[in-house]
Amino acid sequence: MDTGDRLGKRLLEARYECEAWRPQLFRLGVSEDRRSLSALLDEVPGLQVYDALEEQLIDLIRTRNPSERISDLAARERVQVYLGETPPDEYGVWVYYPWAARLVHLLDEPEFVELRTNRNKYKLTPEEQARLAKKRVGVVGLSVGHSVATTMALERSVGEIRLADFDRLDLSNLNRIRSSVHNLGVSKVLITARDIAEIDPFLKVVLYPVGVHDDNLSAFLLRGGKLDVLIDECDSIDIKLKLRVTARLHKIPVLMETSDRSLIDVERFDLEPTRPIFHGLVGNIEPERIANLSTEEKIPYVLKIIGEGTMSSRMVSSMIEIESTIKTWPQLGSCVVYGGGAAADIVRRMNLGQMNYSGRFIADIENIVPNDPPAAATMMPELSRPPDWTAEAMERVADEVTGGSPTALGWSLEQARELVAIAARAPSGGNCQPWRWLLRGGRLFLFHERARSESLADFRALGGVAAVGAAAESFRLAAHARGLELSLAAFPRADVPDLAAVFELLAGPGPAAEPRWRDELAGALGLRHTNRKTSTREALDAGNYAALQAAAGSVAGAQLQFLTGDVDLAEVAELVGIGDQLRLLDDRLNCDMFREVRWTPEEAEATRDGIFIDSLELTPADRAGLSMCRRREALAFLHTFGGGRGLRKSAAKAIASASAVGLLTMPRIGAGEFFRGGQALQRMWLVAHTLGLAIYPMSTLPYMFLRLRHGGEGLCEAHVAALSESRPRFTRLFPGQPEQAEVLLFRVSRAEAPTLQSLRRTVDEILHVSPT
């Protein structure tokens, strides 16, 4: 036999062998399977054996224990325990792929499916994955259809796939079908089935290698259970029409993706059994009328189905050239893969009951990522806020309080500007700087600018009141350090709650003068800062805690508690993390939070308030995570199934480096108490600075508790429930009186100096000097 004869015989054998597509499974714990596999090993020369069962078991163990860091050695030891008395070669299943002469050792179906779909979570919940495992999807046409089918197999977003195509692979198909040259001449149905089997040998696949036609169309749709979705990717327009006529009869939805501009067509015949085929675009044309038309003759119908105005300009140009310089309409591999993924995504959502309407959609990548740069867009909408204090409104209130009479001794403009600039360095939540100052009639008036501190996370803007109190304390210290005496009248008018304080300059000490307290700390006013840098946990001397407690306690009623033990710090880290999680998952809280963030130096300089992203001392991974948290629709999905535990990690990392966590309280809840609490926190913070201690406020949780304690107004039921469950844990850590006000929760540690400090608004922005 010459070489040509031998090649011809081998080609016939190869053609027969390549028709095989269903893998054979052997479980060596079954005697018959062991004998069959032994015979196979003897009969198939050159059989390639792949055994990575131990790696699969290690992967399984690690995915079942995601919070543990399991070393390679420990993982291998666990595998031995997991196998028990079962020999490794008898565990799982051996899968033989006859078309490739490969034998692969795999986990058996339940563990294989569990491990292979693990990384679908929580893009797909376990309940959704189980629902999808019962769905049947049929694919007619395996160019784009190959991409759709294999993508569904990758996700395992379907339980059964039916494949129909009469065609075999041509070399010209390889611009868009991911296959190999050795498959030329092989049925597209078999190529797709084998690809699926090599991804997942347990997934049910049913083949129609002669395509669909009048004699088998109903069987394709109904045999073995009615299809849940039919995907039409065939080229024949008459078959497209017949598919829809029969699918509508049996109330089966149809999806089509064109791969040109990724036009996606959805016809929900299951929900609209009288819906016109192709949305009525082609009228009542009979399939037989166009069955034997040439490609060129079909173009008018294609234009009706797709829409000329919908097509890309290059496709229109190509249509003109059909049967002139090109044989048929072109398709690009990137468009086929992109469209196949889009179609698989929509089918999954249809099968989950999430997408329940008909329509035509264009997912054109060139529109999404155009050749020319898009205009800048903001991710977060602005929320409505209370009005700012105007100069006229402040002057009117000042005159009402004082009767418009000037003081005998007044602040000079130079004094006022200098002291207000120092007071503006006081801490405030989110660096919102909620203060406005007025110099009028020889007095300095300090207003709480509620518009800057109003948020769902700050109940009744009491956090803003504490910030104003800290600014008042800074002003008092700075004035004393300059040898000045002053009086401070806090909240002089109950009917004007946002007038926080009035300062008058005195000729000397007397009954009305503010008492002095460590005036030497004024030198730290411009240096005190928030320090978010992490470090190694370091135990502090008892004297440090005593000094901080004494500083806070110098304000009547203020108390300061500390947690220092590892167990307590771990517990408070968990609770603070819950607060962070709730803040990010709640739509309004999330919007409030990101309204504080400045993402570029230019933005930070333009506003000179808020938190510049670089000052958060984030790792690149944490920064990316924070940026993703702006995607409120993604966080809303997490909320639907109780997810989002990963949002707690930031608090755990921050407190892991803490020497202690402190809570500053006042006896009662009210504006006056929070104002004095702000004075206490500023005194404590200044002393901490002189001791070389880093302070980092973490007060979201206690302020959310404050809202909870007043009925939970504005919070959803799930967040009220989570806070109600967390509150007893918090009060066990920080016992106190039921009516006490929790002014500041903070981390204290030793750390390097921060990378940069937050900017502050200029004196001209916050101080209004009355002309009278």
Side-chain angles (χ1 to χ4, degrees):
M1 183 180 297
D2 64 19
T3 301
D5 291 338
R6 289 198 301 273
L7 283 173
K9 181 180 179 182
R10 185 56 192 142
L11 284 171
L12 290 174
E13 293 171 349
R15 175 59 58 86
Y16 173 79
E17 290 168 2
C18 76
E19 299 296 314
W21 68 272
R22 198 185 303 275
Q24 296 175 249
L25 308 183
F26 302 93
R27 295 172 176 87
L28 299 194
V30 179
S31 299
E32 183 177 349
D33 282 9
R34 180 176 284 275
R35 287 193 296 271
S36 297
L37 181 56
S38 178
L40 179 72
L41 292 170
D42 291 336
E43 294 169 3
V44 179
L47 180 65
Q48 301 173 75
V49 180
Y50 301 86
D51 187 357
L53 184 72
E54 183 181 56
E55 287 82 354
Q56 296 169 56
L57 287 169
I58 288 172
D59 198 5
L60 180 67
I61 289 167
R62 284 176 169 155
T63 57
R64 286 179 174 177
N65 300 276
S67 63
E68 295 183 47
R69 292 195 173 188
I70 305 172
S71 68
D72 291 344
L73 178 60
R76 286 192 290 271
E77 290 172 351
R78 289 200 192 187
V79 167
Q80 298 306 315
V81 173
Y82 189 87
L83 289 172
E85 300 298 320
T86 304
D89 66 341
E90 290 186 11
Y91 194 88
V93 61
W94 291 85
V95 182
Y96 173 55
Y97 295 97
W99 57 88
R102 296 191 187 102
L103 182 66
V104 185
H105 195 183
L106 298 174
L107 296 172
D108 215 338
E109 186 170 3
E111 291 176 339
F112 179 92
V113 173
E114 175 191 351
L115 183 56
R116 204 173 79 72
T117 61
N118 179 268
R119 296 196 185 185
N120 287 356
K121 297 179 181 177
Y122 287 104
K123 298 287 284 288
L124 290 174
T125 67
E127 294 77 13
E128 289 171 335
Q129 195 79 59
R131 286 171 59 192
L132 292 171
K134 299 176 183 178
K135 300 296 182 179
R136 307 178 186 92
V137 177
V139 184
V140 179
L142 293 172
S143 290
V144 173
H146 177 276
S147 179
V148 181
T150 53
T151 301
M152 290 190 299
L154 283 172
E155 290 184 353
R156 224 178 201 273
S157 56
V158 65
E160 176 184 335
I161 303 177
R162 295 178 196 165
L163 304 173
D165 200 319
F166 67 92
D167 205 4
R168 293 179 177 269
L169 185 70
D170 294 327
L171 185 57
S172 61
N173 299 143
L174 288 181
N175 77 316
R176 63 191 183 276
I177 298 178
R178 187 183 179 280
S179 191
S180 304
V181 290
H182 65 260
N183 282 325
L184 292 173
V186 178
S187 165
K188 292 179 181 178
V189 163
L190 297 178
I191 292 171
T192 307
R194 292 196 316 235
D195 287 347
I196 292 172
E198 292 184 356
I199 294 167
D200 190 332
F202 306 106
L203 195 59
K204 184 176 181 181
V205 181
V206 180
L207 308 190
Y208 286 76
V210 294
V212 291
H213 47 75
D214 291 342
D215 294 336
N216 70 359
L217 178 53
S218 292
F220 182 81
L221 298 178
L222 304 174
R223 184 177 294 166
K226 185 172 76 170
L227 289 180
D228 294 286
V229 180
L230 169 63
I231 300 174
D232 166 29
E233 298 299 342
C234 71
D235 292 334
S236 175
I237 297 178
D238 58 310
I239 296 298
K240 285 180 178 292
L241 293 170
K242 290 179 180 179
L243 285 173
R244 283 161 177 77
V245 169
T246 312
R248 183 173 62 178
L249 176 67
H250 297 291
K251 299 181 179 180
I252 298 171
V254 178
L255 180 143
M256 175 184 72
E257 198 281 331
T258 67
S259 81
D260 179 57
R261 301 190 68 205
S262 195
L263 171 67
I264 298 166
D265 192 279
V266 178
E267 296 166 277
R268 295 303 302 259
F269 297 128
D270 55 331
L271 304 178
E272 302 168 281
T274 61
R275 183 177 185 82
I277 289 170
F278 281 124
H279 317 287
L281 295 172
V282 296
N284 296 318
I285 187 172
E286 295 295 328
E288 290 74 15
R289 279 182 53 191
I290 57 176
N292 298 314
L293 297 180
S294 68
T295 300
E296 185 177 27
E297 291 169 331
K298 292 176 182 177
I299 288 178
Y301 300 100
V302 172
L303 294 180
K304 286 183 178 180
I305 292 172
I306 298 177
E308 183 176 348
T310 300
M311 298 170 64
S312 68
S313 58
R314 295 199 180 199
M315 178 59 83
V316 172
S317 299
S318 300
M319 286 288 192
I320 296 172
E321 290 296 298
I322 286 176
E323 295 191 352
S324 176
T325 60
I326 57 175
K327 180 180 179 182
T328 187
W329 39 75
Q331 293 174 301
L332 292 175
S334 58
C335 298
V336 168
V337 172
Y338 175 71
D345 179 277
I346 294 169
V347 169
R348 180 186 68 245
R349 290 188 281 125
M350 290 170 65
N351 277 330
L352 289 174
Q354 297 168 347
M355 195 275 195
N356 294 310
Y357 57 94
S358 301
R360 315 198 87 196
F361 315 93
I362 295 178
D364 186 3
I365 192 67
E366 287 192 28
N367 278 351
I368 299 168
V369 186
N371 293 331
D372 297 316
T378 57
M379 295 189 68
M380 304 295 291
E382 282 291 327
L383 297 183
S384 60
R385 303 191 301 169
D388 295 333
W389 275 104
T390 64
E392 293 78 10
M394 289 191 294
E395 289 180 1
R396 183 175 61 253
V397 168
D399 289 345
E400 291 173 357
V401 170
T402 65
S405 60
T407 60
L409 182 63
W411 304 94
S412 70
L413 178 57
E414 183 181 356
Q415 286 174 330
R417 290 183 62 86
E418 181 182 16
L419 295 175
V420 167
I422 293 172
R425 298 296 310 172
S428 59
N431 191 31
C432 65
Q433 305 170 52
W435 40 67
R436 285 291 300 278
W437 296 78
L438 169 68
L439 177 61
R440 183 175 177 83
R443 300 178 181 89
L444 272 166
F445 298 83
L446 172 56
F447 289 84
H448 175 201
E449 193 164 44
R450 190 179 295 265
R452 301 189 69 84
S453 63
E454 186 86 5
S455 73
L456 187 62
D458 186 2
F459 181 67
R460 297 178 183 169
L462 289 171
V465 174
V468 171
E473 179 62 19
S474 298
F475 186 96
R476 187 193 66 83
L477 275 173
H480 283 170
R482 286 156 177 76
L484 302 175
E485 295 292 344
L486 71 155
S487 67
L488 189 167
F491 298 100
R493 285 276 295 267
D495 60 334
V496 189
D498 290 343
L499 176 55
V502 180
F503 298 89
E504 293 190 16
L505 185 62
L506 304 177
E514 271 292 291
R516 292 179 175 271
W517 178 84
R518 298 194 61 179
D519 293 344
E520 76 279 3
L521 289 174
L525 286 170
L527 303 175
R528 179 223 58 84
H529 52 263
T530 297
N531 192 332
R532 301 177 181 87
K533 279 207 167 178
T534 57
S535 59
T536 303
R537 179 174 293 170
E538 176 183 334
L540 302 181
D541 295 336
N544 291 135
Y545 297 120
L548 298 179
Q549 287 169 328
S554 65
V555 174
Q559 291 187 336
L560 188 54
Q561 300 179 61
F562 285 104
L563 302 176
T564 58
D566 291 347
V567 174
D568 287 346
L569 289 174
E571 173 74 348
V572 78
E574 174 71 11
L575 293 173
V576 171
I578 290 171
D580 290 347
Q581 177 184 2
L582 298 182
R583 187 178 187 187
L584 287 164
L585 291 179
D586 183 277
D587 193 61
R588 283 181 58 194
L589 289 167
N590 182 292
C591 195
D592 281 341
M593 174 179 170
F594 283 106
R595 191 171 63 181
E596 299 172 358
V597 180
R598 306 293 176 257
W599 295 92
T600 66
E602 293 76 17
E603 185 183 7
E605 180 61 41
T607 64
R608 299 189 68 83
D609 63 5
I611 307 296
F612 179 32
I613 185 70
D614 287 357
S615 72
L616 293 177
E617 310 286 1
L618 299 174
T619 65
D622 290 340
R623 183 166 178 158
L626 181 66
S627 182
M628 286 189 288
C629 288
R630 292 184 288 173
R631 298 288 300 275
R632 291 181 293 160
E633 74 283 1
L635 298 179
F637 175 64
L638 282 176
H639 186 31
T640 62
F641 61 88
R645 287 189 62 90
L647 302 174
R648 305 179 186 181
K649 291 180 180 179
S650 178
K653 289 172 65 175
I655 294 178
S657 66
S659 301
V661 169
L663 178 68
L664 173 66
T665 62
M666 294 297 289
R668 290 170 299 280
I669 295 169
E673 296 291 293
F674 273 83
F675 183 87
R676 289 188 291 277
Q679 292 180 293
L681 80 84
Q682 181 69 328
R683 293 184 182 187
M684 179 275 298
W685 206 326
L686 292 170
V687 170
H689 178 79
T690 64
L691 296 173
L693 300 177
I695 302 295
Y696 177 12
M698 310 179 83
S699 286
T700 295
L701 184 65
Y703 280 86
M704 291 178 73
F705 282 149
L706 186 57
R707 185 170 292 277
L708 174 73
R709 293 159 65 186
H710 288 79
E713 179 185 352
L715 299 174
C716 68
E717 290 183 7
H719 287 183
V720 168
L723 290 168
S724 299
E725 182 181 343
S726 301
R727 180 64 183 170
R729 296 168 61 185
F730 188 81
T731 55
R732 283 194 293 271
L733 292 171
F734 295 107
Q737 298 303 312
E739 66 276 12
Q740 74 180 13
E742 293 158 356
V743 178
L744 184 71
L745 183 73
F746 61 96
R747 179 192 79 179
V748 58
S749 62
R750 292 200 185 276
E752 296 177 359
T755 303
L756 51 84
Q757 298 181 30
S758 298
L759 298 174
R760 300 305 166 102
R761 292 187 294 157
T762 65
V763 172
D764 290 335
E765 291 180 273
I766 62 175
L767 172 63
H768 172 65
V769 180
S770 174
T772 59

